[in-house]
């Protein structure tokens, strides 16, 4: 009996441990977001079907390689706006906020050269004044101040610095993070590395077909290749994890006031299932994914047709001369003239 209880306890613990690794985005609690395509219908996971092989006289070598590359530098862009009664006051207020950010980030090795300001707009702000008359009202727009809008570009090299940047901006009431750009300096070396690995793989595949008895020298070859580079900003997906069913409200026949549900985002990089080679497959943080593909088609060369010998037939004509005494003289007739 104790052994049975222990077995049941271990089964429950294993199930709970597996459930922890699933996360919330694909549980049944996320089924509210099925329409967006980011959640899997509970109980209906995708079926993986092995494709049927169809033999063909054409030999296809299709190889793909992917490399996960950590960015060498990042640029965070924040948008900030400032209003003031005069143009000078508006500019001074915003400059003070930006200078405070510069001073605070200097202690985290983010220097003056790593910060750039992009002026977006500097326009007057109008308000509507209402003038009351005896039988009517007049609405008139009058200038009341100025609005200055800028983008702050902050470059950094370590992901740990980004938290310090957010803190410095928040202290100065700058909350609008536009985007974070990723940059890599040695992209040509990455493509060269992928190319060498693909060429080695193609050589191995040619040897494999040769071992099967296919001499590729007897085939005509055509090829196509491509390369691509994907950045993390293109691979964030969203979902909503909540359950809004209330049986108690249904029993009491009362209306339900819906609350605003939080939308969660997660980084979903390219899957490795379609790649023959993956360099740096294990990643901890969002990375730049660089890929290359080479496709070769080998079609059998047409067999050379043997030329049939031309047979020339010559016909020689003869005629017979019969003399009066009955003797026969045979002569050839010359037909060349």
């Amino acid at each position: 009996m104790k052994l049975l209880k222990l077995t049941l306890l271990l089964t429950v613990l294993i199930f709970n441990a597996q459930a922890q690794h699933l996360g919330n985005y694909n549980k049944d609690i996320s089924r509210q977001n099925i329409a967006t395509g980011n959640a899997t219908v509970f109980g209906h996971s995708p079926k993986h079907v092995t494709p049927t092989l169809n033999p063909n006289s054409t030999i296809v070598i299709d190889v793909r390689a992917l490399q996960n590359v950590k960015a060498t530098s990042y640029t965070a862009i924040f948008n900030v706006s400032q209003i003031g009664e005069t143009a000078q006051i508006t500019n001074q207020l915003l400059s003070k906020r930006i200078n405070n950010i510069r001073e605070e980030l200097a202690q985290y090795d983010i220097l003056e050269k790593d910060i750039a300001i992009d002026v977006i707009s500097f326009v007057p702000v109008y308000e509507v004044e209402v003038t009351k008359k005896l039988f009517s009202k007049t609405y008139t727009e009058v200038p009341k101040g100025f609005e200055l809008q800028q983008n702050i570009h902050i470059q950094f090299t370590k992901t740990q610095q980004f938290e310090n940047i957010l803190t410095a901006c928040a202290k100065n009431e700058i909350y609008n993070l536009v985007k974070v750009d990723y940059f890599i300096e040695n992209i040509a070396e990455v493509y060269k590395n992928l190319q060498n690995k693909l060429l080695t793989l193609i050589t191995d595949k040619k040897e494999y077909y040769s071992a099967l008895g296919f001499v590729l020298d007897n085939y005509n070859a055509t090829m196509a290749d491509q390369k691509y580079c994907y950045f993390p900003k293109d691979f964030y997906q969203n979902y909503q994890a909540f359950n809004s069913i209330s049986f108690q409200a249904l029993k009491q026949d009362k209306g339900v006031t819906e609350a605003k549900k939080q939308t969660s985002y997660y980084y979903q990089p390219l899957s490795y299932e379609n790649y023959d080679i993956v360099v740096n497959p294990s990643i901890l943080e969002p990375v730049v994914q660089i890929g290359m593909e080479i496709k070769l088609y080998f079609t059998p060369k047409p067999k050379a047709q043997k030329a049939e010998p031309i047979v020339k037939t010559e016909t020689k004509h003869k005629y017979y001369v019969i003399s009066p005494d009955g003797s026969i003289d045979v002569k050839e007739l010359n037909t060349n003239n």
Side-chain angles (χ1 to χ4, degrees), residues 152-333:
I152 308 175
H153 298 241
I154 304 175
Q155 188 179 63
F156 57 100
T157 57
K158 301 177 182 178
T159 55
Q160 295 82 356
Q161 294 174 308
F162 187 54
E163 184 176 353
N164 301 324
I165 295 173
L166 289 176
T167 302
C169 290
K171 286 183 179 179
N172 293 277
E173 300 179 349
I174 299 176
Y175 313 106
N176 188 3
L177 173 63
V178 180
K179 63 176 181 176
V180 178
D181 290 328
Y182 290 64
F183 300 95
I184 52 177
E185 296 178 355
N186 56 342
I187 189 169
E189 296 180 6
V190 176
Y191 281 126
K192 185 65 176 178
N193 179 47
L194 293 177
Q195 179 180 315
N196 292 336
K197 290 184 177 296
L198 287 179
L199 290 176
T200 302
L201 181 59
I202 290 174
T203 301
D204 294 340
K205 286 185 175 290
K206 286 183 176 180
E207 293 177 356
Y208 166 72
Y209 285 115
S210 178
L212 293 176
F214 296 93
V215 182
L216 295 182
D217 292 338
N218 298 330
Y219 288 75
N220 291 323
T222 57
M223 65 86 66
D225 63 343
Q226 65 175 348
K227 57 184 180 180
Y228 44 85
C229 181
Y230 294 120
F231 292 89
K233 64 183 179 62
D234 301 320
F235 287 90
Y236 276 91
Q237 300 186 22
N238 63 81
Y239 70 95
Q240 290 178 313
F242 65 90
N243 193 331
S244 60
I245 298 176
S246 175
F247 292 101
Q248 183 178 1
L250 295 176
K251 290 179 181 180
Q252 297 178 358
D253 195 22
K254 294 182 178 180
V256 177
T257 301
E258 293 186 358
K260 182 180 179 181
K261 281 78 176 181
Q262 180 183 2
T263 300
S264 300
Y265 294 85
Y266 63 98
Y267 173 61
Q268 182 64 48
L270 287 174
S271 174
Y272 303 154
E273 59 184 351
N274 294 323
Y275 288 92
D276 303 283
I277 298 172
V278 179
V279 183
N280 302 329
S282 180
I283 57 177
L284 178 62
E285 61 186 73
V287 294
V288 181
Q289 293 189 295
I290 301 175
M292 180 177 288
E293 177 183 0
I294 300 177
K295 181 175 289 188
L296 297 168
Y297 279 87
F298 294 90
T299 54
K301 293 181 179 179
K303 295 182 179 179
Q305 297 181 354
K306 295 183 179 180
E308 297 182 358
I310 300 175
V311 180
K312 186 177 181 181
T313 305
E314 295 183 357
T315 304
K316 295 182 178 181
H317 299 277
K318 298 179 180 181
Y319 63 94
Y320 299 87
V321 179
I322 302 174
S323 61
D325 60 357
S327 61
I328 301 175
D329 186 11
V330 180
K331 296 182 178 295
E332 291 186 1
L333 181 63

Side-chain angles (χ1 to χ4, degrees), residues 2-59:
K2 291 183 178 179
L3 180 60
L4 178 60
K5 290 183 178 179
L6 180 60
T7 302
L8 291 175
L9 178 61
L10 288 175
T11 303
V12 172
L13 290 175
I14 293 173
F15 176 78
N16 288 337
Q18 292 175 344
Q20 291 297 324
H21 289 284
L22 287 176
N24 286 329
Y25 98 96
N26 62 351
K27 283 187 176 181
D28 61 324
I29 198 171
S30 302
R31 61 181 179 271
Q32 309 290 342
N33 199 38
I34 288 174
T36 64
N38 294 326
T40 304
V41 182
F42 182 74
H44 295 82
S45 57
K47 296 181 179 179
H48 299 281
V49 180
T50 303
T52 304
L53 294 178
N54 297 316
N56 195 302
S57 59
T58 301
I59 297 176

